[in-house]
Amino acid sequence: MKLEVARGLFLAGALAVASMALVAWEQPGPQVLTAATGTGHCPLPRTAKANDAKPGNDLLLLMFGLSQGLKPQS
């Protein structure tokens, strides 16, 4: 088999694989998540207790620090 023929077959095969990958690629689009009951908040799991869902001071401090890091430096 000549080198040009082998190179052409390889190129055709590579394009076929890339085309199939592009067709099979499924990326979900942005969507709004809502609760099934319409209460407007995420329901707690059955095993979670009400006092377990409250954020602690460390978590609030971490979230504050992360939000401050997103601001541009001026």
Side-chain angles (χ1 to χ4, degrees), residues 44 48-56:
L44 290 174
K49 298 196 179 0
N51 58 1
D52 292 342
K54 294 179 184 173

Side-chain angles (χ1 to χ4, degrees), residues 14-61:
L15 288 175
V17 169
S19 309
M20 293 300 288
L22 183 64
V23 169
W25 185 323
E26 182 179 332
Q27 188 171 6
Q31 56 185 347
V32 177
L33 300 177
T34 59
T37 58
T39 57
H41 67 280
C42 295
L44 290 174
R46 292 182 184 142
T47 58
K49 298 196 179 0
N51 58 1
D52 292 342
K54 294 179 184 173
N57 291 335
D58 293 337
L59 178 62
L60 292 174
L61 185 60

